[in-house]
Amino acid sequence: MDMDMQPELCKVDDALGILVGKWKPIILLILLQEGTKRFSDLKRRVPGITQKMLTKQLRELEEEDIITRNVYAQVPPKVEYSISEYGESLEPILVAMHEWGTAHTLHKTKKGQL
Amino acid sequence: MDMDMQPELCKVDDALGILVGKWKPIILLILLQEGTKRFSDLKRRVPGITQKMLTKQLRELEEEDIITRNVYAQVPPKVEYSISEYGESLEPILVAMHEWGTAHTLHKTKKGQL
DNA sequence: ACAGTTAGTATCATTATGTATACTATACCA
DNA sequence: TGGTATAGTATACATAATGATACTAACTGT
């Protein structure tokens, strides 16, 4: 169909590249489901994540225009993150993954019981 | 909604855990779209992958019952891989990712042109 | 006798990813 | 005067993922 005969494959990797990482899907789900959050709120909602990692993930998501960063000139600092309009377009993928994950849990349970 | 107030997150991670890896989605798409393939066919269809990586990815997918491995008692050896019935249930996710990836390419192009 | 084929394994090197810990600025509160 | 809070940065380190390369068994064809 194309020069290297697999034009579609890289597209999937694009999506994966954005969703992947130990923390990104969790961050995205929180922002999608609960709306705008401050840095410290996110840190509380994602137990176990370090500041460095949270910062890194947020920066990467911002880079891809998936989330929006809003800094308030205050002390102590206040920074809010929210899903961008574009980022909302990821929702079907997250939903598909969530549905599959739920079914997968059952599948594993069944296997375990045999 | 649940004890730790984020019951959904781990489900998404389950799907992600299976799809992630530099090569898994490509392998899965090939098997989904083109059906059963031998090891060497896959190697040819996924340029750049090493035998070690291909073997590893296939083993992991097999572990999760996503693909099926069929060994023929021949010399030189012949081993065929195909998507399992269960593995086919991943298709909606792959499709959602592919669609998003396609739109994402446009999005990036637009940005680049500004 | 010797090269080519297939589906791997073994070993080592290099990156990528993640963790732990300490540190900063500045305002507010006691 | 000292402690608390926020949103980070800096540094060092540990672990996991990926890559490069060489090797194997056993049969076929030359």
Side-chain angles (χ1 to χ4, degrees), chain A residues 5-6 8-9 11-13 16 18 20 25 29 45 65 86 89-90 93 98 100-101 104-105 107 111, chain B residues 5-6 8-9 11 16 18 20 25-26 29 45 47 65 86 89-90 93 98 100-101 104-105 107 111:
Chain A
M5 286 169 74
Q6 42 195 4
E8 314 307 74
L9 308 177
K11 312 285 186 180
V12 172
D13 278 337
L16 224 39
I18 280 167
V20 164
L29 279 171
R45 283 303 312 272
D65 296 330
Y86 179 49
S89 67
L90 284 170
I93 302 181
H98 173 250
W100 189 89
H104 180 64
T105 304
H107 181 83
K111 259 181 68 186
Chain B
M5 286 168 75
Q6 43 195 2
E8 313 309 75
L9 307 176
K11 311 286 185 179
L16 225 37
I18 281 167
V20 163
I26 302 178
L29 279 171
R45 283 302 314 272
D65 296 330
Y86 180 49
S89 67
L90 283 170
I93 302 182
H98 174 251
W100 189 90
H104 181 63
T105 304
H107 180 83
K111 260 181 68 185

Side-chain angles (χ1 to χ4, degrees), chain B residues 8-94:
Chain B
E8 313 309 75
L9 307 176
C10 54
K11 311 286 185 179
V12 172
D13 279 337
D14 277 351
L16 225 37
I18 281 167
L19 260 18
V20 163
K22 193 168 172 182
W23 310 103
K24 277 180 199 166
I26 302 178
I27 294 168
L28 289 174
L29 279 171
I30 291 172
L31 293 180
L32 269 169
Q33 292 173 355
E34 304 175 22
T36 302
K37 292 260 177 246
R38 310 180 50 165
F39 185 88
S40 52
D41 292 334
L42 281 173
K43 215 188 125 195
R44 274 184 282 269
R45 283 302 314 272
V46 185
I49 198 171
T50 59
Q51 284 183 289
K52 177 188 164 183
M53 273 300 114
L54 183 50
T55 302
K56 201 187 156 211
Q57 307 300 301
L58 291 171
R59 289 284 183 287
E60 289 173 9
L61 291 169
E62 199 196 346
E63 263 283 295
E64 302 280 359
D65 296 330
I66 306 299
I67 63 172
T68 296
R69 181 167 178 265
N70 221 309
V71 185
Y72 296 80
Q74 299 182 358
V75 170
K78 175 175 170 182
V79 180
E80 283 183 343
Y81 293 91
S82 29
I83 292 279
S84 71
E85 209 187 334
Y86 180 49
E88 279 175 21
S89 67
L90 283 170
E91 199 166 14
I93 302 182
L94 270 325

Side-chain angles (χ1 to χ4, degrees), chain A residues 54-70:
Chain A
L54 183 51
T55 302
K56 199 185 157 212
Q57 308 300 302
L58 291 171
R59 289 284 182 286
E60 288 174 9
L61 292 169
E62 199 196 345
E63 262 282 295
E64 303 279 359
D65 296 330
I66 306 299
I67 63 171
T68 296
R69 182 167 178 264
N70 220 306

